[in-house]
Amino acid sequence: MLYKIMPAKKKKEEIGMEEEKRGFSQEEIDHFCEELKRFNSPLVYDALFFKYGLRNQILRKEVKPVLRDMKMAGPALTVRGNVKAVSLDEEFDRAGRGPLGGMWVRVADMVEEHPNCIVCVQPGYTEVSVLGDILGMTWKYAGMQGLVCDGPVRDTQGFLEENIPVFCTDTFPICAEGHWQMLEGNEPLWMHGQLGEVLVNPGDFIFGDSDAVLIIPKECVEGVIEDCLKRAGNETVTKQSIREGMKARELWGRDGHGGQIG
């Protein structure tokens, strides 16, 4: 299936927030990653929705982890590609860019500059697998934390052996060489969301677990973590009250709706 990818809008137009870019140190980024991994996607989604009014930050439901216990959280490094017919002689010409528009080498170079990132691929085409374990392994050892592909991947056993979190729509062995190429990297990217197109800017935080993949605008990440901590604490109290026999009407009278923080 061939998709039309929309041009990226500025985030200010997309979510009505300040466009000022947040620059974080690597130490801060690593801290945010570890904090986010303490939570789950419902907590993160509720924080985005109730605190910031951001409802459409979730990728389409077909994007799932290869194994259900996979979890990842980190800044996005975006990759966009689309259909392009190329002869195999040109594809594998050592003097050229390399297979798939040079994606293997180009992304590896970008990952080295953005350690602990999550490579986020929008192939624009879902009839072939645009990457496999050799690319993934190379990027992992360059500093990548995990991978999201809005399409199929292959070599899943290789990803599992290397303990690389992979979220994708499908898995099958059809390679993309000869008719798909990377177009650009680390630029604003539109992904297919569950409620419409989702904008991913480089450096936005990706959160993925067994339920969903969510996009956290980088200017919201600190607030999301703070909100999730409160929500997780409230849920712990509520669940313990249920175990101790408190009824639904009592819980409602005491706590109100679970989405409220108070």
Side-chain angles (χ1 to χ4, degrees), residues 3-51:
Y3 289 107
K4 180 180 179 181
I5 307 302
M6 298 169 61
K9 302 176 185 176
K10 293 180 179 179
K11 190 172 290 292
K12 183 177 180 181
E13 299 169 0
E14 175 71 4
I15 62 175
M17 300 179 65
E18 293 184 3
E19 196 178 16
E20 179 184 1
K21 293 183 178 180
R22 296 297 305 272
F24 297 117
S25 68
Q26 190 60 48
E27 184 178 0
E28 288 174 313
I29 290 171
D30 294 343
H31 172 70
F32 296 153
C33 293
E34 292 308 308
E35 286 293 293
L36 285 168
K37 289 176 188 175
R38 298 168 58 185
F39 310 126
N40 56 41
S41 54
L43 285 173
V44 174
Y45 179 85
D46 286 352
L48 286 165
F49 181 39
F50 289 103
K51 184 176 180 66

Side-chain angles (χ1 to χ4, degrees), residues 158-194:
F159 284 111
L160 297 177
E161 289 172 357
E162 286 295 324
N163 196 29
I164 300 173
V166 179
F167 292 67
C168 59
T169 60
D170 298 285
T171 61
F172 49 70
I174 304 174
C175 66
E177 279 82 1
H179 55 273
W180 184 92
Q181 292 208 335
M182 173 182 172
L183 298 178
E184 60 186 9
N186 230 23
E187 297 290 337
L189 182 70
W190 285 100
M191 302 285 283
H192 298 100
Q194 186 61 26

Side-chain angles (χ1 to χ4, degrees), residues 73-180:
L77 191 157
T78 60
V79 175
R80 185 172 72 87
N82 216 323
V83 177
K84 183 176 181 180
V86 178
S87 71
L88 291 182
D89 287 341
E90 179 183 347
E91 188 87 82
F92 296 106
D93 182 0
R94 295 291 182 87
R97 303 187 77 176
L100 308 179
M103 181 165 73
W104 185 11
V105 176
R106 292 166 68 187
V107 174
D109 290 343
M110 289 189 290
V111 168
E112 288 184 356
E113 298 175 0
H114 301 86
N116 214 10
C117 68
I118 292 174
V119 173
C120 190
V121 181
Q122 173 52 280
Y125 185 59
T126 60
E127 303 306 310
V128 298
S129 295
V130 301
L131 55 93
D133 62 344
I134 297 298
L135 275 67
M137 283 181 63
T138 307
W139 301 343
K140 172 189 173 179
Y141 287 99
M144 178 191 77
Q145 178 191 155
L147 176 68
V148 176
C149 183
D150 190 17
V153 304
R154 62 186 228 155
D155 300 313
T156 52
Q157 190 60 43
F159 284 111
L160 297 177
E161 289 172 357
E162 286 295 324
N163 196 29
I164 300 173
V166 179
F167 292 67
C168 59
T169 60
D170 298 285
T171 61
F172 49 70
I174 304 174
C175 66
E177 279 82 1
H179 55 273
W180 184 92

Side-chain angles (χ1 to χ4, degrees), residues 223-244:
V224 165
I225 290 171
E226 179 183 356
D227 197 78
C228 283
L229 283 169
K230 294 177 182 178
R231 292 181 186 281
N234 286 358
E235 283 196 359
T236 298
V237 171
T238 298
K239 289 177 180 179
Q240 184 58 34
S241 297
I242 293 170
R243 295 186 187 101
E244 293 172 355

